Amino acid sequence: MSVSMMSTFVKPMHPEGRKFVAIAAAITLILFWLWEPLGWIGAGLTVWVYYFFRDPERVTPDRPGVMVSPADGVISLLEPAVPPAELGLGDQPMTRVSVFMSVFNCHVNRLPYEGTLTKVAYRPGKFLNASLDKASEDNERNGLAVQIADGRQYGVVQIAGLVARRILCWSKEGQHLDSGERFGLIRFGSRLDIYLPDGVEPLVEIGQTMIAGETVLASLDVEAEG
């Protein structure tokens, strides 16, 4: 399969971004009317808004037990932590892997490993810098508890950042999602926390660059079917 030069540079945009691009384009027209140099600044901003809401196709590894990153970004934290109480995952620490997304990353979120959503829970909160440890407890967040086929559970939490003001999750409790399937989006800078099942060790390091739906995060050591 060949890849065209156009598809290399121009990525599809998630529908959530259309109204923001339209607003930026309208402002750009006004700026051109007021003063041309301002208009070119607006044009650059419009292109950036389109780029922010890009939603490229990803190729998820087809290997048993492989968990993938739910977000583009950089690993910012690797530590034991008690998952949010609203997810019902217990009060014992689980290994938490945090992926920090800057405003330049793709912000469409994907499920790390196939399973059924047993809980989808939103909690309002603050808008601290998402790279801070306390953002996991204090910031606006939306969490998913996911049960895999062997009964184990893990958690994924969308956390709003310093400039993020809207967490979107279009997946519902009881829904079954495949590995790498899109489940939500966060606008303008944020973070994803992944709470790994007991005994599962992360295969990443702090500072590592992640690609949602593609970069291997951990291995669940499940047997291949058939």
Side-chain angles (χ1 to χ4, degrees):
M1 181 184 297
S2 62
V3 178
S4 68
M5 186 66 69
M6 181 66 70
S7 65
T8 300
F9 294 100
V10 180
K11 303 298 182 183
M13 182 179 65
H14 191 275
E16 177 65 21
R18 292 172 183 167
K19 56 187 173 184
F20 291 96
V21 172
I23 291 171
I27 293 174
T28 296
L29 291 176
I30 295 173
L31 292 176
F32 267 118
W33 180 73
L34 293 173
W35 189 38
E36 184 175 339
L38 286 178
W40 287 113
I41 294 174
L45 177 62
T46 302
V47 171
W48 176 80
V49 172
Y50 175 90
Y51 181 73
F52 176 86
F53 284 101
R54 66 195 183 280
D55 185 17
E57 293 298 325
R58 297 289 167 80
V59 180
T60 301
D62 186 19
R63 302 200 302 273
V66 168
M67 294 187 77
V68 294
S69 177
D72 286 14
V74 174
I75 299 295
S76 59
L77 292 171
L78 278 173
E79 59 188 3
V82 176
E86 63 267 21
L87 293 185
L89 295 176
D91 57 3
Q92 296 301 308
M94 302 172 72
T95 299
R96 181 176 69 191
V97 182
S98 298
V99 182
F100 175 74
M101 297 180 284
S102 76
V103 294
F104 299 105
N105 290 124
C106 173
H107 275 56
V108 175
N109 305 142
R110 296 168 180 265
L111 199 72
Y113 189 75
E114 66 174 315
T116 301
L117 306 186
T118 58
K119 193 75 172 181
V120 177
Y122 171 80
R123 202 203 74 167
K126 300 178 182 179
F127 298 97
L128 303 175
N129 188 324
S131 64
L132 300 176
D133 183 33
K134 60 182 179 180
S136 292
E137 297 182 5
D138 296 338
N139 280 24
E140 176 190 21
R141 66 182 184 237
N142 183 74
L144 286 70
V146 186
Q147 182 170 307
I148 64 177
D150 62 11
R152 286 181 291 176
Q153 289 187 300
Y154 70 91
V156 185
V157 183
Q158 300 169 288
I159 301 173
L162 187 63
V163 295
R165 288 297 184 273
R166 182 73 188 277
I167 294 175
L168 300 178
C169 178
W170 46 78
S171 300
K172 308 296 182 183
E173 289 184 12
Q175 186 175 355
H176 183 90
L177 299 180
D178 292 329
S179 298
E181 188 170 349
R182 301 167 178 85
F183 70 84
L185 177 152
I186 314 177
R187 295 176 187 162
F188 306 116
S190 43
R191 176 173 128 196
L192 266 287
D193 284 352
I194 308 94
Y195 292 86
L196 301 178
D198 185 42
V200 175
E201 296 295 327
L203 299 177
V204 294
E205 298 180 353
I206 290 179
Q208 182 174 338
T209 299
M210 310 297 285
I211 299 176
E214 293 190 354
T215 306
V216 174
L217 184 76
S219 176
L220 294 172
D221 294 325
V222 300
E223 297 292 333
E225 295 183 0

